[in-house]
Amino acid sequence: MTLVICARKRLWTIEEGIAVPSQQYVISSVGCSALQRLAAESGIIKVKTIAARNTDILAALKENSSEVVQPFLMGCGTKEPKITQLCLAAIQRLMSHEVVSEAAAGNIINMLWQLMENSLEELKLLQTVLVLLTTNTVVHDEALSKAIVLCFRLHFTKDNITNNTAAATVRQVVTVVFERVVAEDERYKDTIDEPVAVQGNSNRRSVSTLKPCAKDAYMLFQDLCQLVNADAPYWLVGMTEMTRTFGLELLESVLNDFPQVFLQHQEFSFLLKERVCPLVIKLFSPNIKFRQGSSTSSSPAPVEKPYFPICMRLLRVVSVLIKQFYSLLVTECEIFLSLLVKFLDADKPQWLRAVAVESIHRLCVQPQLLRSFCQSYDMKQHSTKVFRDIVNALGSFIQSLFLVPTTGSTSATPNQTGSNASGNTGSAQTNPGVLGMGGGATVLPAFEYRGTWIPILNVTVQGSAKAT
């Protein structure tokens, strides 16, 4: 009965125009046409009739929600700020009580889209979309796509507050879409479905074998790959702008938080193999070809320089792919690991080498993963010796850190026992790691192990085993 009273107050508020804190309403005809007044009165009568004839008021309101919501939609159509705010608040209240049907939700999203195109109440729109998608599962297919596109478009507005709020909303909505898949799988876990072979690369539309929530998630993830690849989306119709960095962040969060979805559904496994892996390899191309200090003036097509924000996010995606989906992507992981090894070359930018070392560290702390590398690659006759190359690459990287170019000037160095060099005129003779040249002291790259100075004479060639 509380909901009915609230609905009547909200409807009456739309009819009268302005609400005051004392719950008394000041009659005003500003922004309200005769048709809107009639719709408000009709809504009040409808709510009263439902309350009088049904014991389960919420279920009855949901069945008739299209009519109940209509006055609020008309109030939003006035584009009057006060009336629009009241109507959106009332719609959110109905959503929180889960009395919005699929048809009513579609009408609400269409109205929110119109408000978005008119740049009205943008923060309130994002809040309404989030409430609509998190309180129920009635929004699917095209309506869900339109709601997600609405959030994306608000993310690329010029207002920083709206931009940041929309970015957080998009992340939460993407998570909600995949959480629905997990809940759907849990509901149907006792149902045995016969596996259907996934078709080739021409599979651009929703896969008919998937259930509704899984189908939405499939289409969303596929379009995220399309957008990151700078291609037109198939499902997110109306997207006008998208950044690669934001798209890669969304891909990483989905792959990291919902690996079971990709492992249990072969349609999602298809996306990993046919969309994600080729995309990652393509975006890594500038990082592979670039050589620091090399001259590109003789080349007709200059090599694109690596871009730190994209490279960092790509390496995070690669780490997640190897950690979570190695058993599914054995061949692809061999390519990724070879790329990581190449990023440790001395002619790569220092920041790229550092980020690559971080990625390799995430993998090396998992013994089972290292064991799999040896079994799948190094122990097979005609396969890349991935584990050996990783060890050699790390060794070369560490040795290169000691190879500091000399400037010819005198540099003070401690002796091998760690004592201060001040006052010790014979440190160059007593320390085998220091050579006197032209009156100065030059440090040889070396390790000090248990008081013994061990110079590094040779640097292992990248990708080859050290001769013994």
Side-chain angles (χ1 to χ4, degrees), residues 41-237:
E41 288 293 344
S42 175
I44 294 173
I45 296 172
K46 187 69 176 178
V47 171
K48 283 183 175 181
T49 305
I50 292 173
R53 294 181 179 180
N54 298 274
T55 55
D56 190 351
I57 300 177
L58 294 181
L61 282 174
K62 186 172 184 179
E63 292 178 3
N64 299 272
S65 57
S66 295
E67 298 178 30
V68 174
V69 169
Q70 189 59 32
F72 302 119
L73 301 181
M74 295 179 69
C76 292
T78 64
K79 298 182 177 60
E80 289 288 335
K82 291 183 178 179
I83 296 179
T84 301
Q85 291 174 9
L86 288 171
C87 291
L88 290 176
I91 290 173
Q92 290 180 21
R93 187 69 177 271
L94 290 172
M95 293 173 185
S96 64
H97 286 84
E98 299 184 20
V99 292
V100 176
S101 65
E102 185 173 351
N107 295 334
I108 291 171
I109 291 174
N110 290 334
M111 176 53 65
L112 296 178
W113 185 273
Q114 293 178 22
L115 294 175
M116 180 269 296
E117 290 185 328
N118 288 279
S119 302
L120 296 173
E121 300 295 333
E122 293 176 336
L123 295 179
K124 201 75 172 178
L125 296 184
L126 292 169
Q127 186 182 40
T128 305
V129 170
L130 195 57
V131 173
L132 177 60
L133 298 183
T134 54
T135 55
N136 55 73
T137 59
V138 297
V139 183
H140 288 290
D141 299 328
E142 293 182 2
L144 177 61
S145 167
K146 198 167 188 177
I148 296 174
V149 172
L150 185 152
C151 298
F152 269 112
R153 290 182 60 169
L154 289 177
H155 172 52
F156 295 103
T157 57
K158 295 180 180 180
D159 184 74
N160 288 332
I161 297 177
T162 303
N163 188 310
N164 295 331
T165 305
T169 305
V170 168
R171 291 187 179 94
Q172 193 164 350
V173 167
V174 171
T175 300
V176 167
V177 171
F178 278 84
E179 284 176 346
R180 289 181 178 184
V181 182
V182 176
E184 186 179 63
D185 290 342
E186 185 66 21
R187 288 197 304 269
Y188 294 98
K189 63 181 179 180
D190 297 329
T191 305
I192 301 176
D193 295 330
E194 294 184 4
V196 180
V198 180
Q199 302 299 321
N201 293 340
S202 62
N203 185 10
R204 295 183 178 181
R205 296 186 178 275
S206 178
V207 179
S208 59
T209 55
L210 290 172
K211 294 179 176 63
C213 294
K215 191 180 299 184
D216 293 334
Y218 177 92
M219 297 302 291
L220 172 60
F221 191 83
Q222 178 180 238
D223 275 6
L224 288 178
C225 296
Q226 288 287 113
L227 292 167
V228 172
N229 199 33
D231 293 329
Y234 304 126
W235 188 62
L236 296 175
V237 180

Side-chain angles (χ1 to χ4, degrees), residues 14-15 17 28-34 36 74-75 77-80 83:
I14 294 171
E15 181 188 358
S28 173
S29 59
V30 177
C32 293
S33 65
Q36 291 160 358
M74 295 179 69
T78 64
K79 298 182 177 60
E80 289 288 335
I83 296 179

Side-chain angles (χ1 to χ4, degrees), residues 278-291:
L279 173 64
V280 171
I281 295 172
K282 173 187 173 181
L283 295 181
F284 264 140
S285 179
N287 306 288
I288 301 171
K289 297 177 182 178
F290 182 78
R291 294 289 183 271

Side-chain angles (χ1 to χ4, degrees), residues 216-406:
D216 293 334
Y218 177 92
M219 297 302 291
L220 172 60
F221 191 83
Q222 178 180 238
D223 275 6
L224 288 178
C225 296
Q226 288 287 113
L227 292 167
V228 172
N229 199 33
D231 293 329
Y234 304 126
W235 188 62
L236 296 175
V237 180
M239 288 285 295
T240 57
E241 193 175 355
M242 179 65 171
T243 59
R244 243 171 207 164
T245 51
F246 189 50
L248 288 172
E249 287 178 7
L250 294 175
L251 290 179
E252 180 201 353
S253 65
V254 169
L255 293 172
N256 190 53
D257 296 339
F258 303 98
Q260 68 275 26
V261 174
F262 295 85
L263 295 174
Q264 294 174 7
H265 297 274
Q266 61 176 355
E267 294 86 355
F268 285 86
S269 302
F270 164 82
L271 287 180
L272 281 183
K273 286 178 172 289
E274 301 297 329
R275 298 295 175 89
V276 178
C277 293
L279 173 64
V280 171
I281 295 172
K282 173 187 173 181
L283 295 181
F284 264 140
S285 179
N287 306 288
I288 301 171
K289 297 177 182 178
F290 182 78
R291 294 289 183 271
Q292 186 167 301
S294 62
S295 175
T296 58
S297 57
S298 60
S299 176
V303 178
E304 183 183 354
K305 290 185 178 181
Y307 183 51
F308 174 75
I310 290 181
C311 183
M312 180 185 66
R313 288 164 176 82
L314 277 174
L315 287 172
R316 288 178 180 173
V317 172
V318 166
S319 298
V320 173
L321 288 173
I322 297 175
K323 287 166 57 179
Q324 303 284 8
F325 309 103
Y326 175 78
S327 59
L328 189 65
L329 305 170
V330 176
T331 304
E332 290 80 2
C333 287
E334 182 179 357
I335 299 174
F336 295 148
L337 291 168
S338 299
L339 291 176
L340 286 176
V341 170
K342 289 183 181 295
F343 291 162
L344 293 178
D345 287 348
D347 54 3
K348 299 296 182 185
Q350 193 65 24
W351 63 263
L352 180 57
R353 302 176 76 195
V355 177
V357 167
E358 281 188 21
S359 300
I360 293 176
H361 174 263
R362 295 192 195 102
L363 306 177
C364 291
V365 295
Q366 302 185 54
Q368 182 59 42
L369 203 54
L370 294 177
R371 189 179 299 112
S372 299
F373 294 163
C374 291
Q375 293 173 349
S376 301
Y377 310 125
D378 292 65
M379 295 177 65
K380 291 186 178 180
Q381 186 175 3
H382 301 290
S383 181
T384 305
K385 310 305 179 187
V386 171
F387 183 77
R388 182 201 66 186
D389 290 348
I390 290 176
V391 173
N392 289 335
L394 290 174
S396 298
F397 175 76
I398 294 171
Q399 291 180 20
S400 69
L401 299 179
F402 291 89
L403 299 175
V404 181
T406 58

